[in-house]
Amino acid sequence: MPPNPFRTRPRSQNNWVIDTVAQKIIIDTDPGIDDALAILFALAHPDLELIGLTTVYGNVPVSLATDNALRLVELADVDVPVAAGAAKPLCISPRGHADFVHGADGFGNSNLPASARQAVAPHAAQFIVEQIRAAPDAVTLVPVGPLTNIALALQLAPDICEKTRVVLMGGAVHEPGNCSPVAEANIWQDPHAAEAVFAANWHVTMVGLDATHKVTLDQGFFTGLAERSPRLGGFLNQIHQFYLDFYATRYGDRVCAAHDALAVAAVLRPDLLTFESGAIQVAVDGIAEGQTLFAKPGQFDHKAEWQGRPEHRAALNADCEGVKALLQDALSTLD
Ligand code: BDR
Ligand code: CA
């Protein structure tokens, strides 16, 4: 078995060092307003090569997630394949969609015209496997929705662990959840899939609410984007109006979290986040369903349920101004 290239590189406590020259990434997504920001950010940054978008139910049904992903690649005028994926969780009944957060169309009721483009034929899980196997070097998976497609890809081809690392948006260590007192939305939507992803022997970086709640964007941020990049920045400003209104109603301040974009930022600039290493498990039923449980290395090795769990890392904090500057610089290059 060839060594996982990401595992042969040095790691320090807070910064898992990797090369950042045009890393190949696949974003698995449920667009979604903050998903759109993450995708355009990834497309805009020269150190990333977005080799595919795979779609999943979550913020919207998977058919709409796919249409929205196609709208985004058409808007950005890039030739990035889109593969449609799971319509429902692995084991539990579907939870419903977050139209009160993202609008009925997933883009803040902006009613963007349909794209003429089509999704590619393979299911998202198959697409992920094919892309990883075909890539000469390692691929970074950036899931920013429920983890169903990633778990299905692992079922199809467990060997992908050898060539892949995962930097996902989801979960929480100390921060309360946003779907229950302990569960974050992407994990809560499919806890069994999330548990499969954290149980697998690859390196997962969990960018959860502890970090994403630190990176907040206000109207001034989006006004600036629209001024510097009238078409695509203007689109992001337009769709974020609904998202900002949701945050104002729910939390009191008209500022929103850059959840999904922070996962992309963690690929590019891990030095802008702080991490703690440890094993992660997901509660798959009961009142804590969807909770991510974090154990420091060795801490609970005397307990059977923690023995042999792979070591991952969880983001616990982020440099808000540093991430905003990273986003602004990249997005300002768009038209
Ligand atoms: C996550 O849930 C979705 O609503 C967002 O797009 C993000 O991926 C935040 O909990
Ligand atoms: Ca998302």
Side-chain angles (χ1 to χ4, degrees):
M1 204 81 84
N4 181 333
F6 288 122
R7 285 190 177 276
T8 60
R9 295 190 174 120
R11 255 198 290 177
S12 66
Q13 188 183 2
N14 286 337
N15 186 2
W16 204 44
V17 179
I18 54 164
D19 297 333
T20 55
V21 179
Q23 292 185 65
K24 286 185 175 12
I25 68 166
I26 297 172
I27 299 182
D28 186 73
T29 177
D30 56 343
I33 293 171
D34 63 318
D35 301 72
L37 179 67
I39 290 164
L40 291 182
F41 170 45
L43 283 170
H45 203 288
D47 291 346
L48 295 177
E49 182 189 353
L50 184 62
I51 61 170
L53 291 174
T54 51
T55 61
V56 63
Y57 69 91
N59 293 326
V60 293
V62 69
S63 55
L64 182 51
T66 307
D67 289 347
N68 282 346
L70 291 165
R71 287 180 167 104
L72 286 173
V73 292
E74 184 170 273
L75 260 184
D77 195 19
V78 290
D79 194 16
V80 172
V82 173
K88 60 183 178 55
L90 294 182
C91 304
I92 62 171
S93 301
R95 306 279 200 190
H97 307 293
D99 54 358
F100 55 100
V101 184
H102 297 269
D105 69 350
F107 284 161
N109 296 333
S110 57
N111 296 315
L112 202 63
S115 165
R117 299 191 187 194
Q118 299 286 318
V120 296
H123 184 282
Q126 182 65 36
F127 176 88
I128 287 168
V129 171
E130 287 171 6
Q131 293 298 314
I132 290 169
R133 285 184 173 162
D137 296 314
V139 172
T140 301
L141 285 181
V142 186
V144 295
L147 291 162
T148 318
N149 289 335
I150 313 304
L152 290 171
L154 276 173
Q155 280 177 17
L156 274 177
D159 59 285
I160 61 172
C161 289
E162 300 299 322
K163 264 182 83 181
T164 313
R165 70 167 183 159
V166 181
V167 181
L168 65 86
M169 191 282 132
V173 177
H174 305 299
E175 186 81 351
N178 55 9
C179 282
S180 85
V182 292
E184 182 280 330
N186 290 339
I187 308 298
W188 179 78
Q189 288 269 8
D190 193 345
H192 297 86
E195 170 53 20
V197 169
F198 289 118
N201 192 24
W202 52 9
H203 192 278
V204 179
T205 295
M206 182 178 96
V207 181
L209 300 178
D210 305 86
T212 65
H213 281 172
K214 305 293 190 321
V215 180
T216 53
L217 308 175
D218 63 8
Q219 180 56 58
F221 175 86
F222 294 104
T223 303
L225 286 189
E227 283 169 3
R228 283 187 292 276
S229 162
R231 200 173 66 84
L232 290 168
F235 166 72
L236 288 171
N237 180 35
Q238 181 191 3
I239 65 175
H240 275 83
Q241 296 308 306
F242 191 97
Y243 203 47
L244 288 165
D245 287 344
F246 162 76
Y247 272 84
T249 306
R250 172 67 64 95
Y251 300 105
D253 288 331
R254 202 167 183 273
V255 295
C256 63
H259 294 294
D260 293 349
L262 189 60
V264 177
V267 176
L268 285 161
R269 289 283 310 276
D271 58 301
L272 292 175
L273 295 88
T274 53
F275 300 97
E276 185 149 351
S277 295
I280 299 169
Q281 293 203 48
V282 180
V284 295
D285 54 23
I287 196 168
E289 189 177 12
Q291 181 175 17
T292 44
L293 297 100
F294 181 84
K296 293 180 186 176
Q299 193 183 5
F300 293 109
D301 280 359
H302 56 291
K303 303 258 188 196
E305 61 270 26
W306 288 99
Q307 284 167 9
R309 298 287 300 197
E311 187 180 318
H312 302 308
R313 65 177 183 172
L316 297 184
N317 208 341
D319 169 358
C320 178
E321 292 310 313
V323 173
K324 279 165 68 175
L326 182 68
L327 286 168
Q328 264 162 0
D329 288 351
L331 290 164
S332 297
T333 65
L334 298 173
D335 65 0

